[in-house]
Amino acid sequence: MSSWNSVGMEVLYQVLGWVAFFAWSFSFYPQVFLNFKRKSVVGLNFDFLVLNLTKHSSYLVYNAALFFSPFIQRQYHETYGDKEMIPVAANDVAFSVHAVALTAFTLFQVFIYERGNQKISKVCISITAIVWTAAIVCLIVAWPKSNWLWLIDVFNSIQVGMTAIKYIPQAVMNFRRKSTIGWSIGNILLDLTGGVLNFGQMGVQSIDQHTLVNFYGNIGKTLLSLEVVFFDILFIIQHYVLYPVKRDENGKAIISERVAPLIRPSDKPEEDTAVSAANGYPILPTEAKHVAAA
């Protein structure tokens, strides 16, 4: 069985993993607190939340199955070699459980807070339905021959695909609104920290084992880190460079903006609404005015 060659590298691996876990886990809270403070989810894209829940649920299946199942671990060693370490750590499982719970809670906030004209798109609903239908079909295919490693690899592929597309609706929404108000930058900064540390953790294991198997043996974790870093940098550019919050002469933020919802009812004419971030509620364009944050 595989083991660490260096105690120091093992300790560093654990430290990076758990710091990444806390960074990624805490990244959910700024958005939750922002929604609670504003009593509004205007500016937070609902497609992102639905796709994110699918992503984290799939990742939880992969992490928990590979970490806890001796049978699947045996299949992994038969595929990649007996000397290779299992590429899932306890912090990966803990993160997945926490991520599913917090994403579900954020979706709950969508139902209880002001959301303006925003809604979940038909494209998002279709993608989610197709993904889970495919997952069920794969389960049926894997069951007779107990191809569980192949099955969890399917779920790992799902989470990679969801990560690649889940950020797109929010990025496009920020572009159309020319604003990131309602979308927490704290979430992004912590998410970026977790992504970098997660990749570093895999690098430590690779250096200790003198192999790159842990990168392609858990290609989902590798691609996840790279995708997170790419999109988080994009959001940071949107927030600080392209659409910075304007301030008045007293240094207070001016929180009035125009909002064009991504999804509009087909039977209603297109119209922009303005959102006061002081209370998070939409107001008509004729009523829009600059509002300084308290």
Side-chain angles (χ1 to χ4, degrees), residues 223-240:
L223 293 178
L224 167 64
S225 297
L226 294 176
E227 290 169 341
V228 163
V229 170
F230 172 79
F231 279 103
D232 285 346
I233 291 175
L234 172 62
F235 286 125
I236 288 172
I237 292 174
Q238 284 186 321
H239 184 81
Y240 290 109

mmCIF file with all atom_site columns, all heavy atoms in Angstrom, residues 223-240:
data_model
loop_
_atom_site.group_PDB
_atom_site.id
_atom_site.type_symbol
_atom_site.label_atom_id
_atom_site.label_alt_id
_atom_site.label_comp_id
_atom_site.label_asym_id
_atom_site.label_entity_id
_atom_site.label_seq_id
_atom_site.pdbx_PDB_ins_code
_atom_site.Cartn_x
_atom_site.Cartn_y
_atom_site.Cartn_z
_atom_site.occupancy
_atom_site.B_iso_or_equiv
_atom_site.pdbx_formal_charge
_atom_site.auth_seq_id
_atom_site.auth_comp_id
_atom_site.auth_asym_id
_atom_site.auth_atom_id
_atom_site.pdbx_PDB_model_num
ATOM 1   N N   . LEU A 1 223 ? -8.966  19.895 -12.666 1.00 0.00 ? 223 LEU A N   1
ATOM 2   C CA  . LEU A 1 223 ? -9.687  20.846 -13.505 1.00 0.00 ? 223 LEU A CA  1
ATOM 3   C C   . LEU A 1 223 ? -10.524 21.801 -12.670 1.00 0.00 ? 223 LEU A C   1
ATOM 4   O O   . LEU A 1 223 ? -10.672 22.975 -13.018 1.00 0.00 ? 223 LEU A O   1
ATOM 5   C CB  . LEU A 1 223 ? -10.574 20.092 -14.505 1.00 0.00 ? 223 LEU A CB  1
ATOM 6   C CG  . LEU A 1 223 ? -9.836  19.279 -15.567 1.00 0.00 ? 223 LEU A CG  1
ATOM 7   C CD1 . LEU A 1 223 ? -10.830 18.537 -16.455 1.00 0.00 ? 223 LEU A CD1 1
ATOM 8   C CD2 . LEU A 1 223 ? -8.931  20.169 -16.401 1.00 0.00 ? 223 LEU A CD2 1
ATOM 9   N N   . LEU A 1 224 ? -11.062 21.310 -11.548 1.00 0.00 ? 224 LEU A N   1
ATOM 10  C CA  . LEU A 1 224 ? -11.845 22.161 -10.654 1.00 0.00 ? 224 LEU A CA  1
ATOM 11  C C   . LEU A 1 224 ? -11.021 23.348 -10.189 1.00 0.00 ? 224 LEU A C   1
ATOM 12  O O   . LEU A 1 224 ? -11.468 24.501 -10.242 1.00 0.00 ? 224 LEU A O   1
ATOM 13  C CB  . LEU A 1 224 ? -12.322 21.344 -9.446  1.00 0.00 ? 224 LEU A CB  1
ATOM 14  C CG  . LEU A 1 224 ? -12.900 22.136 -8.261  1.00 0.00 ? 224 LEU A CG  1
ATOM 15  C CD1 . LEU A 1 224 ? -14.178 22.852 -8.694  1.00 0.00 ? 224 LEU A CD1 1
ATOM 16  C CD2 . LEU A 1 224 ? -13.166 21.222 -7.080  1.00 0.00 ? 224 LEU A CD2 1
ATOM 17  N N   . SER A 1 225 ? -9.798  23.083 -9.746  1.00 0.00 ? 225 SER A N   1
ATOM 18  C CA  . SER A 1 225 ? -8.939  24.158 -9.247  1.00 0.00 ? 225 SER A CA  1
ATOM 19  C C   . SER A 1 225 ? -8.622  25.168 -10.345 1.00 0.00 ? 225 SER A C   1
ATOM 20  O O   . SER A 1 225 ? -8.660  26.380 -10.120 1.00 0.00 ? 225 SER A O   1
ATOM 21  C CB  . SER A 1 225 ? -7.640  23.567 -8.694  1.00 0.00 ? 225 SER A CB  1
ATOM 22  O OG  . SER A 1 225 ? -7.900  22.719 -7.585  1.00 0.00 ? 225 SER A OG  1
ATOM 23  N N   . LEU A 1 226 ? -8.321  24.667 -11.544 1.00 0.00 ? 226 LEU A N   1
ATOM 24  C CA  . LEU A 1 226 ? -7.982  25.558 -12.656 1.00 0.00 ? 226 LEU A CA  1
ATOM 25  C C   . LEU A 1 226 ? -9.182  26.400 -13.073 1.00 0.00 ? 226 LEU A C   1
ATOM 26  O O   . LEU A 1 226 ? -9.051  27.605 -13.342 1.00 0.00 ? 226 LEU A O   1
ATOM 27  C CB  . LEU A 1 226 ? -7.470  24.733 -13.843 1.00 0.00 ? 226 LEU A CB  1
ATOM 28  C CG  . LEU A 1 226 ? -6.144  23.994 -13.617 1.00 0.00 ? 226 LEU A CG  1
ATOM 29  C CD1 . LEU A 1 226 ? -5.806  23.142 -14.837 1.00 0.00 ? 226 LEU A CD1 1
ATOM 30  C CD2 . LEU A 1 226 ? -5.012  24.979 -13.327 1.00 0.00 ? 226 LEU A CD2 1
ATOM 31  N N   . GLU A 1 227 ? -10.369 25.796 -13.122 1.00 0.00 ? 227 GLU A N   1
ATOM 32  C CA  . GLU A 1 227 ? -11.579 26.519 -13.512 1.00 0.00 ? 227 GLU A CA  1
ATOM 33  C C   . GLU A 1 227 ? -11.932 27.586 -12.488 1.00 0.00 ? 227 GLU A C   1
ATOM 34  O O   . GLU A 1 227 ? -12.313 28.708 -12.834 1.00 0.00 ? 227 GLU A O   1
ATOM 35  C CB  . GLU A 1 227 ? -12.746 25.537 -13.675 1.00 0.00 ? 227 GLU A CB  1
ATOM 36  C CG  . GLU A 1 227 ? -12.617 24.637 -14.884 1.00 0.00 ? 227 GLU A CG  1
ATOM 37  C CD  . GLU A 1 227 ? -13.626 23.510 -14.886 1.00 0.00 ? 227 GLU A CD  1
ATOM 38  O OE1 . GLU A 1 227 ? -14.190 23.196 -13.800 1.00 0.00 ? 227 GLU A OE1 1
ATOM 39  O OE2 . GLU A 1 227 ? -13.863 22.927 -15.952 1.00 0.00 ? 227 GLU A OE2 1
ATOM 40  N N   . VAL A 1 228 ? -11.803 27.234 -11.209 1.00 0.00 ? 228 VAL A N   1
ATOM 41  C CA  . VAL A 1 228 ? -12.112 28.182 -10.138 1.00 0.00 ? 228 VAL A CA  1
ATOM 42  C C   . VAL A 1 228 ? -11.210 29.406 -10.231 1.00 0.00 ? 228 VAL A C   1
ATOM 43  O O   . VAL A 1 228 ? -11.675 30.551 -10.145 1.00 0.00 ? 228 VAL A O   1
ATOM 44  C CB  . VAL A 1 228 ? -11.951 27.498 -8.760  1.00 0.00 ? 228 VAL A CB  1
ATOM 45  C CG1 . VAL A 1 228 ? -11.858 28.537 -7.649  1.00 0.00 ? 228 VAL A CG1 1
ATOM 46  C CG2 . VAL A 1 228 ? -13.129 26.561 -8.491  1.00 0.00 ? 228 VAL A CG2 1
ATOM 47  N N   . VAL A 1 229 ? -9.915  29.176 -10.419 1.00 0.00 ? 229 VAL A N   1
ATOM 48  C CA  . VAL A 1 229 ? -8.971  30.287 -10.512 1.00 0.00 ? 229 VAL A CA  1
ATOM 49  C C   . VAL A 1 229 ? -9.307  31.180 -11.701 1.00 0.00 ? 229 VAL A C   1
ATOM 50  O O   . VAL A 1 229 ? -9.320  32.417 -11.589 1.00 0.00 ? 229 VAL A O   1
ATOM 51  C CB  . VAL A 1 229 ? -7.525  29.755 -10.621 1.00 0.00 ? 229 VAL A CB  1
ATOM 52  C CG1 . VAL A 1 229 ? -6.560  30.894 -10.959 1.00 0.00 ? 229 VAL A CG1 1
ATOM 53  C CG2 . VAL A 1 229 ? -7.105  29.087 -9.316  1.00 0.00 ? 229 VAL A CG2 1
ATOM 54  N N   . PHE A 1 230 ? -9.603  30.591 -12.848 1.00 0.00 ? 230 PHE A N   1
ATOM 55  C CA  . PHE A 1 230 ? -9.904  31.369 -14.054 1.00 0.00 ? 230 PHE A CA  1
ATOM 56  C C   . PHE A 1 230 ? -11.121 32.269 -13.855 1.00 0.00 ? 230 PHE A C   1
ATOM 57  O O   . PHE A 1 230 ? -11.068 33.482 -14.112 1.00 0.00 ? 230 PHE A O   1
ATOM 58  C CB  . PHE A 1 230 ? -10.148 30.427 -15.235 1.00 0.00 ? 230 PHE A CB  1
ATOM 59  C CG  . PHE A 1 230 ? -10.641 31.128 -16.475 1.00 0.00 ? 230 PHE A CG  1
ATOM 60  C CD1 . PHE A 1 230 ? -9.761  31.807 -17.295 1.00 0.00 ? 230 PHE A CD1 1
ATOM 61  C CD2 . PHE A 1 230 ? -11.992 31.113 -16.795 1.00 0.00 ? 230 PHE A CD2 1
ATOM 62  C CE1 . PHE A 1 230 ? -10.217 32.462 -18.439 1.00 0.00 ? 230 PHE A CE1 1
ATOM 63  C CE2 . PHE A 1 230 ? -12.459 31.771 -17.933 1.00 0.00 ? 230 PHE A CE2 1
ATOM 64  C CZ  . PHE A 1 230 ? -11.572 32.452 -18.758 1.00 0.00 ? 230 PHE A CZ  1
ATOM 65  N N   . PHE A 1 231 ? -12.232 31.688 -13.400 1.00 0.00 ? 231 PHE A N   1
ATOM 66  C CA  . PHE A 1 231 ? -13.459 32.476 -13.275 1.00 0.00 ? 231 PHE A CA  1
ATOM 67  C C   . PHE A 1 231 ? -13.378 33.476 -12.123 1.00 0.00 ? 231 PHE A C   1
ATOM 68  O O   . PHE A 1 231 ? -13.937 34.581 -12.216 1.00 0.00 ? 231 PHE A O   1
ATOM 69  C CB  . PHE A 1 231 ? -14.666 31.557 -13.095 1.00 0.00 ? 231 PHE A CB  1
ATOM 70  C CG  . PHE A 1 231 ? -15.180 30.986 -14.378 1.00 0.00 ? 231 PHE A CG  1
ATOM 71  C CD1 . PHE A 1 231 ? -14.895 29.675 -14.733 1.00 0.00 ? 231 PHE A CD1 1
ATOM 72  C CD2 . PHE A 1 231 ? -15.935 31.763 -15.255 1.00 0.00 ? 231 PHE A CD2 1
ATOM 73  C CE1 . PHE A 1 231 ? -15.364 29.145 -15.932 1.00 0.00 ? 231 PHE A CE1 1
ATOM 74  C CE2 . PHE A 1 231 ? -16.407 31.247 -16.441 1.00 0.00 ? 231 PHE A CE2 1
ATOM 75  C CZ  . PHE A 1 231 ? -16.113 29.926 -16.795 1.00 0.00 ? 231 PHE A CZ  1
ATOM 76  N N   . ASP A 1 232 ? -12.688 33.120 -11.042 1.00 0.00 ? 232 ASP A N   1
ATOM 77  C CA  . ASP A 1 232 ? -12.571 34.064 -9.933  1.00 0.00 ? 232 ASP A CA  1
ATOM 78  C C   . ASP A 1 232 ? -11.774 35.300 -10.345 1.00 0.00 ? 232 ASP A C   1
ATOM 79  O O   . ASP A 1 232 ? -12.099 36.420 -9.951  1.00 0.00 ? 232 ASP A O   1
ATOM 80  C CB  . ASP A 1 232 ? -11.923 33.389 -8.720  1.00 0.00 ? 232 ASP A CB  1
ATOM 81  C CG  . ASP A 1 232 ? -12.876 32.449 -8.005  1.00 0.00 ? 232 ASP A CG  1
ATOM 82  O OD1 . ASP A 1 232 ? -14.084 32.528 -8.276  1.00 0.00 ? 232 ASP A OD1 1
ATOM 83  O OD2 . ASP A 1 232 ? -12.414 31.637 -7.179  1.00 0.00 ? 232 ASP A OD2 1
ATOM 84  N N   . ILE A 1 233 ? -10.740 35.099 -11.139 1.00 0.00 ? 233 ILE A N   1
ATOM 85  C CA  . ILE A 1 233 ? -9.986  36.244 -11.648 1.00 0.00 ? 233 ILE A CA  1
ATOM 86  C C   . ILE A 1 233 ? -10.872 37.109 -12.532 1.00 0.00 ? 233 ILE A C   1
ATOM 87  O O   . ILE A 1 233 ? -10.826 38.350 -12.481 1.00 0.00 ? 233 ILE A O   1
ATOM 88  C CB  . ILE A 1 233 ? -8.740  35.772 -12.418 1.00 0.00 ? 233 ILE A CB  1
ATOM 89  C CG1 . ILE A 1 233 ? -7.730  35.156 -11.444 1.00 0.00 ? 233 ILE A CG1 1
ATOM 90  C CG2 . ILE A 1 233 ? -8.092  36.926 -13.183 1.00 0.00 ? 233 ILE A CG2 1
ATOM 91  C CD1 . ILE A 1 233 ? -6.507  34.553 -12.119 1.00 0.00 ? 233 ILE A CD1 1
ATOM 92  N N   . LEU A 1 234 ? -11.722 36.475 -13.337 1.00 0.00 ? 234 LEU A N   1
ATOM 93  C CA  . LEU A 1 234 ? -12.661 37.216 -14.176 1.00 0.00 ? 234 LEU A CA  1
ATOM 94  C C   . LEU A 1 234 ? -13.601 38.063 -13.327 1.00 0.00 ? 234 LEU A C   1
ATOM 95  O O   . LEU A 1 234 ? -13.828 39.251 -13.615 1.00 0.00 ? 234 LEU A O   1
ATOM 96  C CB  . LEU A 1 234 ? -13.471 36.250 -15.040 1.00 0.00 ? 234 LEU A CB  1
ATOM 97  C CG  . LEU A 1 234 ? -14.633 36.866 -15.839 1.00 0.00 ? 234 LEU A CG  1
ATOM 98  C CD1 . LEU A 1 234 ? -14.116 37.901 -16.834 1.00 0.00 ? 234 LEU A CD1 1
ATOM 99  C CD2 . LEU A 1 234 ? -15.428 35.777 -16.550 1.00 0.00 ? 234 LEU A CD2 1
ATOM 100 N N   . PHE A 1 235 ? -14.146 37.483 -12.253 1.00 0.00 ? 235 PHE A N   1
ATOM 101 C CA  . PHE A 1 235 ? -15.062 38.223 -11.381 1.00 0.00 ? 235 PHE A CA  1
ATOM 102 C C   . PHE A 1 235 ? -14.346 39.362 -10.652 1.00 0.00 ? 235 PHE A C   1
ATOM 103 O O   . PHE A 1 235 ? -14.928 40.424 -10.428 1.00 0.00 ? 235 PHE A O   1
ATOM 104 C CB  . PHE A 1 235 ? -15.717 37.284 -10.365 1.00 0.00 ? 235 PHE A CB  1
ATOM 105 C CG  . PHE A 1 235 ? -16.769 36.396 -10.956 1.00 0.00 ? 235 PHE A CG  1
ATOM 106 C CD1 . PHE A 1 235 ? -16.701 35.014 -10.809 1.00 0.00 ? 235 PHE A CD1 1
ATOM 107 C CD2 . PHE A 1 235 ? -17.835 36.932 -11.666 1.00 0.00 ? 235 PHE A CD2 1
ATOM 108 C CE1 . PHE A 1 235 ? -17.673 34.202 -11.358 1.00 0.00 ? 235 PHE A CE1 1
ATOM 109 C CE2 . PHE A 1 235 ? -18.816 36.123 -12.211 1.00 0.00 ? 235 PHE A CE2 1
ATOM 110 C CZ  . PHE A 1 235 ? -18.732 34.746 -12.067 1.00 0.00 ? 235 PHE A CZ  1
ATOM 111 N N   . ILE A 1 236 ? -13.105 39.141 -10.264 1.00 0.00 ? 236 ILE A N   1
ATOM 112 C CA  . ILE A 1 236 ? -12.337 40.191 -9.602  1.00 0.00 ? 236 ILE A CA  1
ATOM 113 C C   . ILE A 1 236 ? -12.128 41.371 -10.555 1.00 0.00 ? 236 ILE A C   1
ATOM 114 O O   . ILE A 1 236 ? -12.247 42.539 -10.163 1.00 0.00 ? 236 ILE A O   1
ATOM 115 C CB  . ILE A 1 236 ? -10.979 39.640 -9.113  1.00 0.00 ? 236 ILE A CB  1
ATOM 116 C CG1 . ILE A 1 236 ? -11.204 38.710 -7.917  1.00 0.00 ? 236 ILE A CG1 1
ATOM 117 C CG2 . ILE A 1 236 ? -10.032 40.769 -8.726  1.00 0.00 ? 236 ILE A CG2 1
ATOM 118 C CD1 . ILE A 1 236 ? -9.956  37.965 -7.471  1.00 0.00 ? 236 ILE A CD1 1
ATOM 119 N N   . ILE A 1 237 ? -11.854 41.076 -11.819 1.00 0.00 ? 237 ILE A N   1
ATOM 120 C CA  . ILE A 1 237 ? -11.695 42.132 -12.821 1.00 0.00 ? 237 ILE A CA  1
ATOM 121 C C   . ILE A 1 237 ? -13.006 42.888 -13.011 1.00 0.00 ? 237 ILE A C   1
ATOM 122 O O   . ILE A 1 237 ? -13.033 44.124 -13.098 1.00 0.00 ? 237 ILE A O   1
ATOM 123 C CB  . ILE A 1 237 ? -11.214 41.537 -14.160 1.00 0.00 ? 237 ILE A CB  1
ATOM 124 C CG1 . ILE A 1 237 ? -9.784  41.005 -14.015 1.00 0.00 ? 237 ILE A CG1 1
ATOM 125 C CG2 . ILE A 1 237 ? -11.277 42.592 -15.278 1.00 0.00 ? 237 ILE A CG2 1
ATOM 126 C CD1 . ILE A 1 237 ? -9.283  40.267 -15.239 1.00 0.00 ? 237 ILE A CD1 1
ATOM 127 N N   . GLN A 1 238 ? -14.123 42.149 -13.053 1.00 0.00 ? 238 GLN A N   1
ATOM 128 C CA  . GLN A 1 238 ? -15.424 42.804 -13.190 1.00 0.00 ? 238 GLN A CA  1
ATOM 129 C C   . GLN A 1 238 ? -15.700 43.724 -12.010 1.00 0.00 ? 238 GLN A C   1
ATOM 130 O O   . GLN A 1 238 ? -16.190 44.845 -12.181 1.00 0.00 ? 238 GLN A O   1
ATOM 131 C CB  . GLN A 1 238 ? -16.536 41.751 -13.305 1.00 0.00 ? 238 GLN A CB  1
ATOM 132 C CG  . GLN A 1 238 ? -16.630 41.060 -14.648 1.00 0.00 ? 238 GLN A CG  1
ATOM 133 C CD  . GLN A 1 238 ? -17.842 40.157 -14.730 1.00 0.00 ? 238 GLN A CD  1
ATOM 134 O OE1 . GLN A 1 238 ? -18.225 39.472 -13.775 1.00 0.00 ? 238 GLN A OE1 1
ATOM 135 N NE2 . GLN A 1 238 ? -18.492 40.137 -15.888 1.00 0.00 ? 238 GLN A NE2 1
ATOM 136 N N   . HIS A 1 239 ? -15.409 43.250 -10.803 1.00 0.00 ? 239 HIS A N   1
ATOM 137 C CA  . HIS A 1 239 ? -15.758 44.006 -9.599  1.00 0.00 ? 239 HIS A CA  1
ATOM 138 C C   . HIS A 1 239 ? -14.875 45.232 -9.385  1.00 0.00 ? 239 HIS A C   1
ATOM 139 O O   . HIS A 1 239 ? -15.383 46.313 -9.057  1.00 0.00 ? 239 HIS A O   1
ATOM 140 C CB  . HIS A 1 239 ? -15.659 43.085 -8.376  1.00 0.00 ? 239 HIS A CB  1
ATOM 141 C CG  . HIS A 1 239 ? -16.082 43.743 -7.095  1.00 0.00 ? 239 HIS A CG  1
ATOM 142 N ND1 . HIS A 1 239 ? -17.398 43.890 -6.716  1.00 0.00 ? 239 HIS A ND1 1
ATOM 143 C CD2 . HIS A 1 239 ? -15.344 44.320 -6.103  1.00 0.00 ? 239 HIS A CD2 1
ATOM 144 C CE1 . HIS A 1 239 ? -17.462 44.513 -5.557  1.00 0.00 ? 239 HIS A CE1 1
ATOM 145 N NE2 . HIS A 1 239 ? -16.235 44.788 -5.160  1.00 0.00 ? 239 HIS A NE2 1
ATOM 146 N N   . TYR A 1 240 ? -13.570 45.067 -9.564  1.00 0.00 ? 240 TYR A N   1
ATOM 147 C CA  . TYR A 1 240 ? -12.649 46.150 -9.216  1.00 0.00 ? 240 TYR A CA  1
ATOM 148 C C   . TYR A 1 240 ? -12.230 47.014 -10.406 1.00 0.00 ? 240 TYR A C   1
ATOM 149 O O   . TYR A 1 240 ? -11.832 48.164 -10.223 1.00 0.00 ? 240 TYR A O   1
ATOM 150 C CB  . TYR A 1 240 ? -11.391 45.574 -8.560  1.00 0.00 ? 240 TYR A CB  1
ATOM 151 C CG  . TYR A 1 240 ? -11.627 45.020 -7.176  1.00 0.00 ? 240 TYR A CG  1
ATOM 152 C CD1 . TYR A 1 240 ? -11.590 43.642 -6.948  1.00 0.00 ? 240 TYR A CD1 1
ATOM 153 C CD2 . TYR A 1 240 ? -11.893 45.855 -6.102  1.00 0.00 ? 240 TYR A CD2 1
ATOM 154 C CE1 . TYR A 1 240 ? -11.813 43.112 -5.677  1.00 0.00 ? 240 TYR A CE1 1
ATOM 155 C CE2 . TYR A 1 240 ? -12.110 45.349 -4.831  1.00 0.00 ? 240 TYR A CE2 1
ATOM 156 C CZ  . TYR A 1 240 ? -12.077 43.981 -4.621  1.00 0.00 ? 240 TYR A CZ  1
ATOM 157 O OH  . TYR A 1 240 ? -12.305 43.467 -3.369  1.00 0.00 ? 240 TYR A OH  1
#
